[in-house]
Amino acid sequence: MSNHAYERGLAGNRWRALAAAGARPPRLVWTATEAHGPAGPDTRYADGLVAWGVTSALTRRTLDAVSRRALLSGDTLSGRHVSARLDLAVLTEFGVCLRQLAGELERAWLADRRSAWEELRERVGKLLGGPVG
Protein backbone atom coordinates (compact mmCIF):
# COMPACT_ATOMS: atom_id res chain seq x y z
CA MET A 1 0.00 0.00 0.00
CA SER A 2 2.97 2.32 0.58
CA ASN A 3 4.11 1.77 -2.97
CA HIS A 4 0.62 2.54 -4.27
CA ALA A 5 0.54 5.82 -2.30
CA TYR A 6 3.98 6.65 -3.73
CA GLU A 7 2.76 5.95 -7.28
CA ARG A 8 -0.40 8.03 -6.74
CA GLY A 9 1.74 10.93 -5.57
CA LEU A 10 3.87 10.77 -8.70
CA ALA A 11 0.74 10.69 -10.86
CA GLY A 12 -0.73 13.84 -9.30
CA ASN A 13 -0.82 17.42 -10.54
CA ARG A 14 1.51 18.62 -7.79
CA TRP A 15 4.25 16.25 -8.90
CA ARG A 16 3.67 17.06 -12.57
CA ALA A 17 4.28 20.75 -11.81
CA LEU A 18 7.46 19.92 -9.92
CA ALA A 19 8.68 17.64 -12.71
CA ALA A 20 7.94 20.35 -15.29
CA ALA A 21 10.17 22.66 -13.23
CA GLY A 22 13.01 20.10 -13.42
CA ALA A 23 12.52 18.13 -10.20
CA ARG A 24 13.60 14.51 -10.20
CA PRO A 25 11.28 11.93 -8.64
CA PRO A 26 11.93 11.04 -5.02
CA ARG A 27 12.74 7.43 -4.19
CA LEU A 28 10.75 5.22 -1.91
CA VAL A 29 13.35 3.56 0.31
CA TRP A 30 12.72 0.37 2.26
CA THR A 31 15.02 0.36 5.29
CA ALA A 32 13.81 -2.51 7.48
CA THR A 33 14.79 -5.25 5.07
CA GLU A 34 16.53 -7.75 7.33
CA ALA A 35 14.37 -10.77 8.04
CA HIS A 36 14.25 -12.12 11.59
CA GLY A 37 12.89 -15.44 12.67
CA PRO A 38 11.98 -18.66 10.88
CA ALA A 39 8.94 -17.30 8.98
CA GLY A 40 10.66 -17.64 5.61
CA PRO A 41 13.93 -17.11 3.78
CA ASP A 42 16.30 -14.43 5.07
CA THR A 43 15.96 -12.71 1.69
CA ARG A 44 12.14 -12.47 1.81
CA TYR A 45 12.01 -8.68 2.16
CA ALA A 46 14.57 -8.09 -0.55
CA ASP A 47 12.72 -10.58 -2.78
CA GLY A 48 9.31 -9.15 -2.00
CA LEU A 49 9.90 -5.37 -2.05
CA VAL A 50 10.81 -4.84 -5.69
CA ALA A 51 9.31 -2.13 -7.89
CA TRP A 52 10.38 0.50 -10.38
CA GLY A 53 11.90 3.54 -8.65
CA VAL A 54 12.14 1.83 -5.26
CA THR A 55 15.37 1.40 -3.32
CA SER A 56 16.17 -1.09 -0.56
CA ALA A 57 18.81 -0.28 2.04
CA LEU A 58 20.20 -3.71 2.88
CA THR A 59 22.48 -4.76 5.69
CA ARG A 60 25.70 -6.41 4.58
CA ARG A 61 24.39 -9.77 5.79
CA THR A 62 21.17 -9.42 3.78
CA LEU A 63 23.06 -8.22 0.70
CA ASP A 64 25.33 -11.27 0.91
CA ALA A 65 22.28 -13.55 1.25
CA VAL A 66 20.59 -11.87 -1.72
CA SER A 67 23.70 -12.31 -3.86
CA ARG A 68 23.79 -16.05 -2.99
CA ARG A 69 20.14 -17.10 -3.12
CA ALA A 70 17.56 -14.39 -3.76
CA LEU A 71 14.59 -15.31 -5.90
CA LEU A 72 14.21 -11.95 -7.62
CA SER A 73 11.41 -12.04 -10.18
CA GLY A 74 10.76 -8.43 -11.12
CA ASP A 75 8.16 -6.03 -9.78
CA THR A 76 6.41 -7.57 -6.78
CA LEU A 77 4.55 -4.49 -5.51
CA SER A 78 2.67 -2.74 -8.30
CA GLY A 79 -1.00 -3.63 -8.35
CA ARG A 80 -0.89 -5.45 -5.00
CA HIS A 81 -2.65 -2.73 -2.99
CA VAL A 82 -6.12 -4.24 -3.59
CA SER A 83 -5.15 -7.62 -2.14
CA ALA A 84 -3.33 -5.85 0.74
CA ARG A 85 -6.50 -3.91 1.61
CA LEU A 86 -8.49 -7.17 1.52
CA ASP A 87 -5.97 -8.80 3.87
CA LEU A 88 -6.33 -5.88 6.29
CA ALA A 89 -10.13 -6.14 6.09
CA VAL A 90 -9.96 -9.83 7.03
CA LEU A 91 -7.79 -9.02 10.04
CA THR A 92 -10.34 -6.41 11.12
CA GLU A 93 -13.17 -8.97 10.73
CA PHE A 94 -11.25 -11.26 13.09
CA GLY A 95 -11.19 -8.49 15.69
CA VAL A 96 -7.69 -7.14 15.14
CA CYS A 97 -7.58 -3.42 15.87
CA LEU A 98 -5.15 -2.22 13.21
CA ARG A 99 -4.52 1.12 14.93
CA GLN A 100 -3.67 -0.63 18.20
CA LEU A 101 -1.50 -3.20 16.42
CA ALA A 102 0.37 -0.45 14.57
CA GLY A 103 0.96 1.35 17.87
CA GLU A 104 2.28 -1.81 19.51
CA LEU A 105 4.58 -2.56 16.59
CA GLU A 106 5.84 1.02 16.57
CA ARG A 107 6.57 0.96 20.32
CA ALA A 108 8.41 -2.36 19.98
CA TRP A 109 10.43 -1.05 17.04
CA LEU A 110 11.32 2.14 18.91
CA ALA A 111 12.38 0.16 21.98
CA ASP A 112 14.59 -2.01 19.78
CA ARG A 113 16.14 1.05 18.12
CA ARG A 114 16.72 2.69 21.52
CA SER A 115 18.42 -0.47 22.75
CA ALA A 116 20.62 -0.61 19.64
CA TRP A 117 21.51 3.08 20.07
CA GLU A 118 22.43 2.59 23.75
CA GLU A 119 24.56 -0.41 22.84
CA LEU A 120 26.35 1.62 20.17
CA ARG A 121 26.95 4.50 22.62
CA GLU A 122 28.37 2.06 25.16
CA ARG A 123 30.73 0.50 22.61
CA VAL A 124 31.91 3.89 21.38
CA GLY A 125 32.43 4.98 24.98
CA LYS A 126 34.62 1.97 25.63
CA LEU A 127 36.63 2.63 22.48
CA LEU A 128 37.13 6.26 23.49
CA GLY A 129 37.98 5.35 27.09
CA GLY A 130 34.96 6.77 28.88
CA PRO A 131 31.24 7.41 28.78
CA VAL A 132 29.78 9.16 25.75
CA GLY A 133 27.36 12.12 26.04
Side-chain angles (χ1 to χ4, degrees):
M1 290 180 8
S2 297
N3 190 61
H4 181 63
Y6 167 75
E7 290 173 338
R8 276 195 337 248
L10 291 180
N13 290 333
R14 183 170 183 218
W15 172 249
R16 283 192 201 115
L18 291 169
R24 290 184 291 180
R27 299 275 184 203
L28 180 61
V29 179
W30 299 112
T31 58
T33 56
E34 186 167 333
H36 300 280
D42 55 357
T43 61
R44 68 182 171 270
Y45 295 127
D47 293 348
L49 297 173
V50 179
W52 182 258
V54 173
T55 302
S56 293
L58 304 175
T59 64
R60 181 65 181 185
R61 182 170 57 195
T62 303
L63 182 60
D64 289 344
V66 167
S67 71
R68 286 191 308 277
R69 62 184 170 276
L71 302 172
L72 300 176
S73 59
D75 188 334
T76 61
L77 297 175
S78 298
R80 298 281 317 277
H81 63 282
V82 173
S83 64
R85 286 187 193 282
L86 291 173
D87 291 341
L88 292 177
V90 168
L91 289 173
T92 302
E93 287 176 19
F94 280 106
V96 175
C97 175
L98 297 177
R99 186 176 302 274
Q100 181 181 350
L101 177 60
E104 290 173 15
L105 291 171
E106 182 178 30
R107 283 187 292 279
W109 183 84
L110 288 171
D112 182 60
R113 294 297 88 212
R114 179 185 260 317
S115 175
W117 176 251
E118 293 300 328
E119 182 181 332
L120 176 63
R121 286 184 63 200
E122 185 177 313
R123 287 182 182 186
V124 169
K126 286 180 182 176
L127 288 171
L128 296 176
V132 175

